[in-house]
Every structure is written in structure tokens, then in C-alpha cells.
Amino acid sequence: MSRGFSLIELMIAMSVLAVGLLGGIAVVAVANANNGRSKLHSTAITLAQSTMEKIVAIPRSAVGSAAQTKLTDCAGNTFTIETSVPAGGGPDLIDSGAFAGTIDFSKPPMDNYSMRYVMCSSAGNVGYDIRWRIEAGPTPSTQLVTVSAKPLVTAGAAQLTLPYTLRQLRGDF
């Protein structure tokens, strides 16, 4: 009897090892893609929160230029954030379905109620579409503020990213 592996046993062992390595490479690739998508999501949430804080910091009763604030992105774009209730009601909301009550990104943006914010990073600049709506609240002295943000990604799985929506009441409770 000879000792050691035969050529067939060696080929079977190498095939099993190759399948295991390919599976490991696939797991690393999926984890890397999810990490990038998580970064886009986290930044969108942070920008929505920042915009909400700027809006809520201005009193509900402010009018004219007192009802406006500004925000500048890393590319030097300065955006005016209008915090009063617009005559036409502001950006459109989705009327029905699972996303009812969220801002409709399929409609064109409204001046001073939207911005294309650029977030700069060493990996490259990424744009975010941020929109807000201010409407009468449940009581005469309150307003409902809705802010939504989503990354402007045109390729890969991240293009299917849903917007993040925040809602908050402001005024005298």
C-alpha cells in the first residue's frame, strides 16, 4: 500500500478549497457594498436632521427674511431655507400607499424648499436631494415640518435608496 494522496483526492481537496475561497470573496464584496450604502444612508439622515434643526430653530411666527436661514455646502453652494408656509402648500406629498405623507421626489423641486447639497469626501463628492414642507399643524399655533433627504446616486444598488423622512411639530403647544 502506498501512502499519501492520490491525484484524484488532491483535485477534490483543491476544488473544495476553491469553492470556500470564492464564497469568502463574495462575502467580502457584499460587505463592502453594504458599508458604502450605509455611509450614504447615514449622511442623508444627518443632513435631514441638520435641515430640520435649522427650520425648527426659527419661530413659527417669523415672516419675510426673518423666516429664512442659509446653509452652505462644501462646494461653496449657499442655499436659502424658507421656513414659512408657502402659498401653494410647498413640495408635493405622496397621497397613498406605503409612503403616504412623504415628499414626492418624482416632482420637480421647489425654490427655497429644496437643495442639492454636495457632501465632499476623499472618496469623491456625493450630492443629496433635500426637500422640506411646512404646513399647518393640528392646532392653530403649530406647524408640521417634513424634511426628506436622499443621495443622488445614479449607478449601482444605491440608486434604489429610499429617502429618509423626518417629521416634527413646531410652534406653541
Side-chain angles (χ1 to χ4, degrees), residues 11 29 49 57 60 68 72-74 83 94 96 118-119 136-137 142 144-145 149 153 156-157 161 170:
M11 289 179 66
Q49 287 173 336
R60 179 190 64 81
Q68 295 178 342
T72 303
D73 65 9
C74 68
T83 66
I94 297 174
S96 61
V118 177
M119 182 62 76
T142 61
L144 176 63
V145 179
V153 179
T161 301
R170 79 169 181 173

Side-chain angles (χ1 to χ4, degrees), residues 3 12-13 15 25 38 40 48 59 65 77 100 116 118 126 146 156 162 167-168:
R3 294 185 169 194
I12 290 172
S15 298
I25 290 171
S38 293
L40 290 173
S65 62
N77 303 314
R116 299 254 175 169
V118 177
V126 176
T146 304
L162 296 172
R167 291 180 192 84
Q168 185 171 339

Side-chain angles (χ1 to χ4, degrees), residues 69-74 76-82 112 114-118 128 132:
T69 186
K70 298 201 180 288
L71 185 65
T72 303
D73 65 9
C74 68
N77 303 314
T78 300
F79 303 98
T80 299
I81 298 175
E82 179 66 50
N112 295 342
S114 67
M115 62 181 155
R116 299 254 175 169
Y117 191 92
V118 177
Y128 290 84
W132 54 96

Side-chain angles (χ1 to χ4, degrees), residues 27-168:
V27 167
V28 169
V30 168
N32 192 27
N34 285 338
N35 186 32
R37 204 169 25 251
S38 293
K39 182 179 178 183
L40 290 173
H41 293 220
S42 297
T43 305
I45 291 168
T46 301
L47 289 170
Q49 287 173 336
S50 175
T51 304
M52 178 68 80
E53 288 171 4
K54 285 195 154 292
I55 293 170
V56 172
I58 294 177
R60 179 190 64 81
S61 58
V63 293
S65 62
Q68 295 178 342
T69 186
K70 298 201 180 288
L71 185 65
T72 303
D73 65 9
C74 68
N77 303 314
T78 300
F79 303 98
T80 299
I81 298 175
E82 179 66 50
T83 66
S84 61
V85 178
D92 292 332
L93 297 176
I94 297 174
D95 294 330
S96 61
F99 302 106
T102 62
I103 292 178
D104 189 353
F105 281 88
S106 68
K107 304 288 173 103
M110 186 175 176
D111 289 341
N112 295 342
Y113 290 90
S114 67
M115 62 181 155
R116 299 254 175 169
Y117 191 92
V118 177
M119 182 62 76
C120 300
S121 72
S122 59
N125 300 348
V126 176
Y128 290 84
D129 189 355
I130 305 168
R131 301 182 189 192
W132 54 96
R133 178 182 172 96
I134 299 155
E135 57 190 317
T139 66
S141 59
T142 61
Q143 292 174 332
L144 176 63
V145 179
T146 304
V147 178
S148 290
K150 72 174 201 158
L152 295 170
V153 179
T154 58
Q159 72 184 1
L160 304 174
T161 301
L162 296 172
Y164 288 90
T165 300
L166 304 173
R167 291 180 192 84
Q168 185 171 339

